[in-house]
Amino acid sequence: NLYLKTPQTLLKDEVLISYANISDLSNNLGNVAVTASLKKSKIGFKDLILLVPDLTKQDVFKNNPNGILNIDTRISGKINDLSLPNFRLSGLRGSDIELSGKIKNALQPNQLYVDLDVSKLKSTQTDILSILPRGTLPQNITLPDHFLLQGKLKGGIKQANADLKLASSFGNATFLGKLDQRKKNAEIYDLQANLQDFNIGKLIQNDSLSQVTATVAVAGNSFDPKVMSTTISGNIATAKFNGYLYENLNLQANVNQGNYVADVKFKDANADLLFEASGNFLNEHPTLELDGTIEKLDLYKMKLTANPSALKGTISADFSDLHPDHLNGKLRLYNFAYADGKQVIPFDSLK
């Protein structure tokens, strides 16, 4: 029958806090045990800071000194090992969270572990920036004005599994995958992403790039190019770059300890081409073998040149060294033609 009311806070139902020593509230908060059943309650940041003054060191409290959080939840366990069978939290300027699961080491980000079923994580750019410690977000990244995240997340910084769906002011996306970084240079990853009219340009602050609709899958071992074994599959249905809408670009590639094999297919209104490439990018002398067919490539209509320019033909290349200081290899053009809008210049064969 708990009922506690202040000008900023209203707590109803049950809250039990236990600790070995009262100093744990400021020096060992993670060891403090909490059992709570709160219904239609709210917590004022001013009151939290009054109880735990050290909270003022955290950015979320510094940036929101008058913040109020609405809460309807059941919680049990120590602060560093919490069970949340039902958790609903809303407040700040537009955040609303509904989830269930477990959170461990919440006060130790490098050791954080979660097992969460996220029914709703709705927030805004303003709220996230007020919560994140200064410098956490790279300067070349811009968050959406608003977003909604749903799905499942299990793991921590070193190992995680995710099945997430994002709807945002930048567009929509889904993410499915696993990542294990516990062994350096022996990482394991299997990631799939699907973008629907997602404005990558706004995200990375690049005005040349805007909406992208694509599916990408990456699976393999290690991030070290010397030992990496990775398969990459990508299909760009549409991507707007420099004012041109690219369509139907497909990439399949395999990388193994510096050796690579890649196939590229591109077919839209102004481009129809196919390339097959292989080689090694780690040797002292990087290599390339390439066979390609260009049925059509209108550089002008694709806004890649200022004047009319179009290509057609077959390409074959065999380079034993791609280093620009000592380039060595063979390049052949067959049945090639170049058009500048005024005339067509054919090349029967050029080596």
Side-chain angles (χ1 to χ4, degrees):
N1 298 317
L2 170 70
Y3 188 90
L4 173 64
K5 190 174 189 305
T6 75
Q8 293 83 34
T9 296
L10 173 63
L11 298 178
K12 295 190 296 182
D13 203 2
E14 177 187 15
V15 175
L16 175 64
I17 300 176
S18 59
Y19 42 84
N21 191 301
I22 194 170
S23 64
D24 286 349
L25 289 174
S26 56
N27 299 326
N28 192 13
L29 189 60
N31 202 41
V32 174
V34 178
T35 300
S37 177
L38 300 174
K39 298 179 180 178
K40 297 181 180 179
S41 298
K42 62 180 182 178
I43 300 174
F45 281 12
K46 285 184 176 179
D47 293 332
L48 288 175
I49 292 170
L50 185 63
L51 290 172
V52 188
D54 279 359
L55 290 176
T56 56
K57 298 177 182 178
Q58 299 185 22
D59 285 354
V60 62
F61 291 94
K62 284 192 288 187
N63 295 328
N64 301 279
N66 298 313
I68 293 178
L69 296 178
N70 302 296
I71 187 167
D72 194 331
T73 187
R74 286 187 295 130
I75 302 173
S76 63
K78 293 185 176 181
I79 297 296
N80 269 341
D81 190 2
L82 288 174
S83 177
L84 298 86
N86 175 51
F87 183 84
R88 172 113 189 233
L89 185 71
S90 63
L92 300 179
R93 293 170 180 81
S95 295
D96 191 355
I97 303 171
E98 288 184 42
L99 56 82
S100 61
K102 295 183 178 181
I103 301 177
K104 295 184 178 182
N105 304 318
L107 302 178
Q108 301 166 285
N110 290 332
Q111 300 178 38
L112 177 68
Y113 176 87
V114 301
D115 186 354
L116 300 176
D117 188 343
V118 182
S119 300
K120 175 170 63 174
L121 198 166
K122 180 182 179 182
S123 193
T124 66
Q125 179 191 99
T126 302
D127 281 359
I128 296 301
L129 292 179
S130 74
I131 293 170
L132 290 177
R134 188 173 301 176
T136 301
L137 191 71
Q139 292 185 351
N140 64 334
I141 295 296
T142 298
L143 296 176
D145 291 337
H146 56 81
F147 64 88
L148 170 64
L149 186 67
Q150 298 171 297
K152 298 180 183 295
L153 181 63
K154 183 176 183 179
I157 300 298
K158 293 292 185 180
Q159 182 183 23
N161 294 273
D163 185 354
L164 301 171
K165 179 171 64 175
L166 175 70
S168 78
S169 55
F170 284 178
N172 301 330
T174 61
F175 305 92
L176 176 64
K178 62 181 181 180
L179 174 64
D180 187 343
Q181 302 181 90
R182 290 175 294 178
K183 294 183 179 179
K184 186 174 176 59
N185 297 330
E187 300 87 353
I188 300 172
Y189 43 91
D190 188 350
L191 310 171
Q192 300 173 42
N194 185 295
L195 307 178
Q196 293 291 330
D197 287 326
F198 194 89
N199 197 322
I200 296 179
K202 284 188 176 181
L203 178 69
I204 63 174
Q205 300 174 14
N206 186 331
D207 294 337
S208 298
L209 181 64
S210 56
Q211 285 86 357
V212 175
T213 295
T215 57
V216 180
V218 180
N221 300 282
S222 183
F223 297 133
D224 182 351
K226 295 179 181 178
V227 295
M228 177 188 293
S229 178
T230 299
T231 299
I232 303 170
S233 176
N235 181 65
I236 299 176
T238 59
K240 197 166 186 179
F241 180 72
N242 276 338
Y244 180 77
L245 186 65
Y246 290 78
E247 297 180 293
N248 302 319
L249 176 60
N250 182 272
L251 168 68
Q252 304 290 328
N254 291 287
V255 178
N256 186 16
Q257 298 179 357
N259 297 306
Y260 65 90
V261 177
D263 293 338
V264 178
K265 297 178 182 179
F266 182 21
K267 188 167 185 175
D268 76 2
N270 297 297
D272 184 355
L273 55 85
L274 170 65
F275 285 98
E276 297 177 352
S278 62
N280 184 288
F281 58 83
L282 285 181
N283 291 339
E284 181 181 355
H285 305 287
T287 62
L288 168 68
E289 292 185 15
L290 173 72
D291 289 301
T293 301
I294 302 174
E295 295 294 340
K296 176 173 60 175
L297 186 61
D298 195 321
L299 302 175
Y300 178 69
K301 290 184 178 179
M302 296 171 70
K303 300 187 177 181
L304 296 174
T305 60
N307 299 308
S309 180
L311 302 172
K312 180 180 180 179
T314 301
I315 300 176
S316 177
D318 185 357
F319 283 84
S320 58
D321 194 345
L322 285 174
H323 195 288
D325 290 338
H326 31 80
L327 188 66
N328 186 39
K330 298 177 181 179
L331 175 65
R332 298 179 176 88
L333 306 180
Y334 299 99
N335 301 319
F336 219 78
Y338 170 78
D340 62 5
K342 298 178 181 178
Q343 60 180 334
V344 176
I345 303 173
F347 300 94
D348 186 45
S349 179
L350 181 64
K351 300 181 181 179

